[in-house]
């Protein structure tokens, strides 16, 4: 009787498995997506973030969800990534949404704005203070949805051919700078140029640019800016913590099974953490190498910083008056910044300042 019961149970289990298998197969379909990056392959951290995301997607789905990553120019240019997603030319892109402030200036808040938030604060605002909803409401008009997928941390101020000591030194300066930072500096006489990363070095070498900012020491070293400009400025007050995004075609997102949507969301978050950790690991070493190679470090003077802050506040008032979306995002960011900075000053800033002051003794 026991043997008969066991065989009966085994037969039912086998029958159950034959019924369940097609359902499992249907719930995990094979999917192939194309991703266009806004960054050249030579930048292994920022381009590598898209590759890391694709790797996580494949691993989490037993290779059923494959994402092929393309560099700028292989499908579209680096500044056309959102357009490609909107039209369905690609399923997704890895890009900073501030590249598209010409469509709506409020998109600048998705990446970060001048005198805005640092990397951790930006991530917090995105997830817990309504940032994600504000930006994705805007992107929905362009048939897209976005997910946090990388952060550079506070960026450097860039390489300059000449020293910048006064506001007067900025006048007429042809400066490669993206996002709203360029609009702020335009108020101080700068001639901002928004170029894709791969186009910056040739322009700086030819003299059609006087200065260029990109991310930080690791990428700036790879891009070779030190060969044509020696003054290296800090901080990049226009990008206190620049967030990148995985921007996905809305229809393609809606078509994904729920488990694939969950995996994509978590893979993007994991890639977000990977990028910031990688930059923290490599920027210090790259900075030392560039100093050894002749880079002359400079800090923006207090008069330049104060004038830039004043110009930023003027720009934000102008844009808030024109764009309800901008005002909503700006008010949200300012309220959060007002809450978080006192806490930061009391604890994070105090700890970091002490450790910096006592390095070598700890």
């Amino acid at each position: 009787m026991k043997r008969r019961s066991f065989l009966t149970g085994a037969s039912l289990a086998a029958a159950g498995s034959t019924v369940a298998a097609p359902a499992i197969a249907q719930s995990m379909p094979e999917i192939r997506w194309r991703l266009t990056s806004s960054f050249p392959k030579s930048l292994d951290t920022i381009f590598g973030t898209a590759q890391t995301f694709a790797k996580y997607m494949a691993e989490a789905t037993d290779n059923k969800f494959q994402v092929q990553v393309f560099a700028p120019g292989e499908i579209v240019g680096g500044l056309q990534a959102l357009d490609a997603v909107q039209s369905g030319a690609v399923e997704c892109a890895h890009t900073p949404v501030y590249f598209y402030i010409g469509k709506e200036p409020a998109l600048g808040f998705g990446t970060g704005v001048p005198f805005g938030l640092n990397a951790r604060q930006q991530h917090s605002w995105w997830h817990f203070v309504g940032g994600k909803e504000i930006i994705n409401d805007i992107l929905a008009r362009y048939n897209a949805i976005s997910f946090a997928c990388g952060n550079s941390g506070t960026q450097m101020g860039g390489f300059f051919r000449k020293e910048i000591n006064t506001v007067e030194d900025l006048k007429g300066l042809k400066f490669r700078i993206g996002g709203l930072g360029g609009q702020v500096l335009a108020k101080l006489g700068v001639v901002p140029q928004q170029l894709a990363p791969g186009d910056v070095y040739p322009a700086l070498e030819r003299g059609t640019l006087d200065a260029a900012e990109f991310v930080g020491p690791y990428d700036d070293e790879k891009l070779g800016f030190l060969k044509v400009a020696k003054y290296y400025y800090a901080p990049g007050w226009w990008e206190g913590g620049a967030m990148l995004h995985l921007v996905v075609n809305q229809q393609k997102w809606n078509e994904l099974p729920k488990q694939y949507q969950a995996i994509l969301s978590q893979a993007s978050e994991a890639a977000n953490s990977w990028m910031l950790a990688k930059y923290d690991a490599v920027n210090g070493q790259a900075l030392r190498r560039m100093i050894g190679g002749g880079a002359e470090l400079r800090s923006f003077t207090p008069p330049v910083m104060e004038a830039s802050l004043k110009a930023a506040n003027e720009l934000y008032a102008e844009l808030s008056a024109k764009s309800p979306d901008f005002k909503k995002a700006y008010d949200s960011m300012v309220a959060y910044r007002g809450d978080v900075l006192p806490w930061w000053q009391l604890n994070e800033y105090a700890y970091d300042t002490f450790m910096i002051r006592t390095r070598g003794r700890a």
Side-chain angles (χ1 to χ4, degrees), residues 16-336:
S17 66
T18 59
V19 171
I24 293 171
Q26 290 171 13
S27 68
M28 295 287 281
E30 291 194 2
I31 292 178
R32 300 289 182 269
W33 276 14
R34 299 196 302 172
L35 180 158
T36 184
S37 171
S38 288
F39 305 99
K41 292 179 180 179
S42 60
L43 302 180
D44 61 291
T45 300
I46 200 163
F47 183 82
T49 300
Q51 294 175 311
T52 298
F53 162 77
K55 174 175 174 285
Y56 291 161
M57 288 298 298
E59 289 176 347
T61 61
D62 196 23
N63 290 313
K64 289 183 179 293
F65 198 141
Q66 295 282 335
V67 179
Q68 187 176 3
V69 181
F70 293 88
E74 293 181 336
I75 299 177
V76 296
L79 301 180
Q80 284 76 53
L82 176 56
D83 293 333
V85 170
Q86 181 181 359
S87 69
V90 296
E91 288 81 9
C92 59
H94 187 235
T95 188
V97 293
Y98 81 164
F99 275 1
Y100 315 104
I101 57 172
K103 299 178 184 293
E104 166 52 59
L107 288 174
F109 290 94
T111 302
V113 298
F115 303 104
L117 306 173
N118 68 20
R120 277 177 52 189
Q121 293 161 4
Q122 178 75 11
H123 197 244
S124 174
W125 176 77
W126 178 261
H127 281 295
F128 294 102
V129 197
K132 175 171 56 179
E133 290 75 17
I134 290 170
I135 299 303
N136 279 332
D137 281 350
I138 297 168
L139 287 175
R141 301 170 204 161
Y142 302 97
N143 192 31
I145 183 172
S146 69
F147 303 85
C149 193
N151 200 300
S152 65
T154 302
Q155 297 192 3
M156 286 292 287
F159 275 94
F160 292 71
R161 293 180 179 275
K162 67 175 186 177
E163 292 188 81
I164 305 297
N165 296 312
T166 69
V167 176
E168 287 294 315
D169 293 331
L170 293 171
K171 291 184 177 177
L173 190 82
K174 298 186 293 293
F175 186 18
R176 185 275 176 189
I177 179 170
L180 292 171
Q183 295 184 29
V184 171
L185 286 169
K187 287 180 168 290
L188 302 178
V190 169
V191 183
Q193 309 286 318
Q194 181 156 297
L195 300 177
D199 300 328
V200 178
Y201 178 86
L204 195 61
E205 185 179 38
R206 290 193 303 267
T208 54
L209 286 177
D210 301 310
E213 63 80 36
F214 185 61
V215 174
Y218 186 69
D219 286 343
D220 292 347
E221 181 185 37
K222 285 181 173 293
L223 290 169
F225 294 159
L226 179 57
K227 298 174 185 176
V228 286
K230 70 176 182 177
Y231 298 109
Y232 198 23
Y233 272 83
W237 46 261
W238 44 86
E239 289 175 299
M243 176 179 280
L244 275 70
H245 290 84
L246 179 78
V247 181
V248 179
N249 176 277
Q250 186 70 64
Q251 277 71 44
K252 291 297 182 181
W253 168 254
N254 292 341
E255 291 169 5
L256 289 180
K258 292 296 182 184
Q259 65 267 40
Y260 275 3
Q261 289 183 344
I263 290 168
L264 183 149
S265 177
Q266 293 306 309
S268 182
E269 277 294 310
N272 185 80
S273 298
W274 181 92
M275 178 174 160
L276 183 58
K278 174 72 181 297
Y279 272 130
D280 282 342
V282 297
N283 272 332
Q285 301 164 19
L287 180 61
R288 285 193 294 272
R289 288 193 297 269
M290 285 198 291
I291 292 172
E296 296 191 22
L297 290 182
R298 298 288 187 273
S299 294
F300 290 120
T301 62
V304 169
M305 293 289 286
E306 290 291 342
S308 300
L309 176 60
K310 182 175 182 292
N313 289 336
E314 291 173 357
L315 177 67
Y316 298 153
E318 294 166 6
L319 293 174
S320 292
K322 296 176 183 176
S323 167
D325 289 315
F326 189 93
K327 186 177 189 309
K328 181 178 181 180
Y330 180 64
D331 289 348
S332 173
M333 187 274 290
V334 169
Y336 173 69

